[in-house]
Amino acid sequence: MPRIAYLPQHHAEPEELVAAIRQRRGGELLNLDRMLLHSPAFARGWNGLLGAVRGELELEADLRELAICVVARLNGAEYEFMHHAPLFLAAGGCAEQLALLHDIPAAVENRLAFSPRERAVLALTYDMTRRVRVSEAHFAAVRALLSPKQVVELVGVVATYNMVSRFLVALDVGIEDRSESDAAH
C-alpha cells in the first residue's frame, strides 16, 4: 500500500505533461507516474531526465539495464527490478545473471556468468550504491573498457536509478495491478 494515494489512471492535468509521460510509457501511467504527478514540477523534470537516460545514451542497453537491476537489488526496490529485469533480458542478458544479483560481490567475481565489461559495471554500481565513493581499481576497470562518454553515462545511470529506487522505496510504490488498470478502460 503506497504511503500517499496514487492519482487515478485517468488523471489528465497538466495536460501537456501527462501526454508526454503517456507517450514515453506507451499510453498508460505507471504507479510511479501516478505518484510523481502529485508534484507536476517534479514529474516534468523526472520525465525529461528519465527520457534521456532511457533513450538518448551511447551506453549499451544491456550494461544500462544491468546497472539498473543491480541498484534495484541493492536498495530493495522490487518495483524497479520487476520493470527492468525484462528489459535486461531483451537487451541480451540472461535469467542466470539476474538470479546471481542477490549477491553482488560474488557476481563481481563470477567470470563464468559475467563478461569483463559486465563485472566492471557490477563493481562500479556496487561501489556507488553502497559506498558512494568508487575505488580506484573499479573506476580504472570501467575506464579501460568504456569510452569516456560511456563512463559518464554509466555513472549517470547509476546515480539516476539510485534516486529512482529511493523514491520508490520511501513512498512504497507497488507493482501495477493490471486487472485494476484494465478495469479502468
Side-chain angles (χ1 to χ4, degrees), residues 24-81:
R24 186 168 70 85
R25 296 286 194 203
E28 297 238 359
L29 295 177
L30 299 180
N31 287 346
L32 171 58
D33 306 316
R34 295 167 58 203
M35 186 65 71
L36 283 163
L37 281 165
H38 281 286
S39 171
F42 203 76
R44 187 174 295 105
W46 189 288
N47 193 53
L49 173 62
L50 273 289
V53 168
R54 297 296 316 284
E56 299 177 24
L57 303 183
E58 184 179 293
L59 182 69
E60 291 95 341
D62 62 327
L63 297 180
R64 179 191 68 226
E65 296 302 328
L66 177 61
I68 294 168
C69 288
V70 170
V71 168
R73 279 292 184 231
L74 290 170
N75 290 336
E78 195 59 25
Y79 181 98
E80 189 171 63
F81 188 82

Side-chain angles (χ1 to χ4, degrees), residues 68-141:
I68 294 168
C69 288
V70 170
V71 168
R73 279 292 184 231
L74 290 170
N75 290 336
E78 195 59 25
Y79 181 98
E80 189 171 63
F81 188 82
M82 294 302 293
H83 278 277
H84 286 275
L87 298 173
F88 174 69
L89 295 173
C94 70
E96 176 193 4
Q97 290 174 311
L98 288 173
L100 293 170
L101 298 184
H102 287 287
D103 183 350
I104 305 304
V108 170
E109 300 303 322
N110 190 327
R111 295 176 190 280
L112 297 175
F114 296 99
S115 71
R117 287 165 52 101
E118 291 166 334
R119 289 195 322 276
V121 167
L122 290 167
L124 179 128
T125 305
Y126 182 84
D127 280 359
M128 282 186 66
T129 303
R130 282 290 193 248
R131 300 181 178 126
V132 181
R133 189 168 303 281
V134 178
S135 77
E136 287 300 325
H138 291 159
F139 199 82

